[in-house]
Amino acid sequence: MTRLFGTNGIRGVVNNDMNCELAMGIGKAWGTYLKRTNPRPHCVIGYDVRLSNHMLKSAMVAGLLSTGCDVVDAGLLPTPTLQYTVKEKQFNADIVITASHNPPQFNGIKGIAYDGTELSKDVEEAIETIYFSGSYALAEWRNVGRFSTWDGAIDLYIQGIVSTIDVARIKHRRFHVVLDCGNGAGCLTTPLLLQKLGCTVTRLNCEPDGRFPGRHSEPIPGNLTALMKTVPEAGAFFGVGLDGDADISIFIDENGKYLWEDKTLALVGNHITKENKGGVTVTPVTTSTCFEDVIRRNKGTVIYTKVGSPIVARVMKERHAVFGGEENGGLIFPQFQYCRDSGMSLAKMLEILAKENRPLSELIAEIPAYEMYKTKIVCPNEKKEFVLNQLVEQMKTDHAVVSTDKTDGVKLLMKDGWVLMRPSGTEPMFRVYVEAKEKKQAEQMAMFYKNLVGSLIESG
Ligand code: MG
């Protein structure tokens, strides 16, 4: 069956593969699905800053209303703000119109379950099945859904964060922060949050604009050069850059240095497991060993999952984890909610700095250093399984391998590093990740295993 949902919802170019017909069809399919277990589902919808937000939202709302779902429009806001809303206000579902960090011509549809977690694959497939069969359960004229608007989500979210952290301690330090919202949805919440926490804020790209005029929406080093330059110039404690829908946050230390996401994950994980005297943490197999090093030091444990934040969040919930997240700046704080959240990440970073009373660069320097090398190779989808099976078979006789982990692809744990080879879930690609102590070693290993994957693709 054609898959519409990727790792993070449905995405496409506006008025091309992401159009009103699709949005309305998904709205009808979703409504039909929700009505199976609830005679009158109550949904909330929100959207990021993209120029097509009202166009797609309106189509989606029309589809939902036609099946007899009531819909509340919560307006323009970050994805985690809406996730918090669905959980706190006990909606049955939440829909976000967003394409996260993609270029401005893209938009997307992302589904959230009643508890604020991203939809599971099973639910996405059930919605797809209804969509492709066109078997919509449309309501009688008297039972179509009711539409209303509500503007309380931002206050609810900020109040929620503030009640979770040590505000007095943060306020006492009067932090100066440089904030780069990248003209995304974070503009609606993050300046307000920092104000509540008594911070002085130097703002970059803090006007919502769906053309993303300030910088590209993805907070990678090449897109955050202005932020890196501004932090030391302004004499700020640190900088923070957000992606388009503000679930991802990237930190810059007081010297203007970009902090790799693994290290931020380890820094926050270190703090939380120290406070909890251990505890379960969850992260995908792609995360650097520096995370496990600090968690084990604090007598905590790490559960590795497949790649994808919905999976990490679900395992965190099942295993009562104290912390988790991905190696891309998506941190998950279970005491607040089970999803990636830049607002909570920022607040927690301020709390850590307030408690430690040391510069961010010093805290990061304590995290063990590894060198990661990532590469990929084109692999037709139909060959992925063959290549993976061959790799597993061949690695049984590789003497350098201490143990093998098949959580996602195949991960080879070696004496001084690891190699992960996994088929991409969304593209005709095979990805190769290597981590070692030395950069050159990581690069050489990556080339060796990439060539191995390449030869298997050719032989398959
Ligand atoms: Mg995002």
Side-chain angles (χ1 to χ4, degrees), residues 100-101 243 245 247-248:
S100 185
H101 57 269
D243 77 328
D245 66 332
D247 53 352
I248 301 287

Side-chain angles (χ1 to χ4, degrees), residues 22-38:
L22 174 68
M24 193 186 289
I26 292 294
K28 286 184 202 174
W30 209 313
T32 302
Y33 173 81
L34 289 168
K35 292 274 302 263
R36 285 177 182 170
T37 50
N38 188 327

Side-chain angles (χ1 to χ4, degrees), residues 8 11 48 79-80 98-102 110 217 219 242-248 340:
N8 277 296
R11 299 240 179 113
D48 75 14
T79 299
T98 179
S100 185
H101 57 269
N102 283 33
K110 183 166 171 157
S217 186
L242 311 180
D243 77 328
D245 66 332
D247 53 352
I248 301 287
R340 298 179 297 199

Side-chain angles (χ1 to χ4, degrees), residues 73-94:
D73 180 349
L76 203 171
L77 33 72
T79 299
T81 306
L82 202 58
Q83 288 178 272
Y84 188 67
T85 301
V86 71
K87 173 176 76 100
E88 291 297 303
K89 301 297 275 183
Q90 297 175 343
F91 284 96
N92 303 114
D94 137 13

Side-chain angles (χ1 to χ4, degrees), residues 334-396:
Q335 80 273 33
F336 186 55
Q337 59 174 346
Y338 285 97
C339 67
R340 298 179 297 199
D341 189 332
S342 72
M344 189 61 205
S345 304
L346 174 55
K348 189 50 93 175
M349 184 61 89
L350 286 163
E351 190 184 71
I352 293 171
L353 287 170
K355 286 181 177 170
E356 293 279 349
N357 206 8
R358 288 188 291 156
L360 183 50
S361 63
E362 220 175 274
L363 299 178
I364 283 287
E366 291 174 355
I367 306 296
Y370 291 92
E371 293 289 343
M372 179 118 42
Y373 194 95
K374 298 180 186 178
T375 181
K376 58 187 179 181
I377 182 166
V378 174
C379 175
N381 288 335
E382 62 275 14
K383 287 193 178 180
K384 284 176 177 171
E385 199 181 331
F386 166 80
V387 173
L388 186 58
N389 290 340
Q390 288 294 313
L391 283 171
V392 171
E393 216 33 57
Q394 292 199 11
M395 290 312 124
K396 284 180 182 164

Side-chain angles (χ1 to χ4, degrees), residues 27-28 30-31 34 40-47 56-75 82 91-97 143-150:
K28 286 184 202 174
W30 209 313
L34 289 168
R40 193 73 185 183
H42 193 44
C43 309
V44 59
I45 193 164
Y47 38 89
L56 293 168
K57 176 209 71 177
S58 303
M60 183 87 198
V61 169
L64 285 162
L65 294 174
S66 73
T67 59
C69 294
D70 292 332
V71 183
V72 175
D73 180 349
L82 202 58
F91 284 96
N92 303 114
D94 137 13
I95 299 97
V96 201
I97 304 295
N143 291 327
V144 295
R146 303 289 165 87
F147 176 78
S148 59
T149 58
W150 183 62

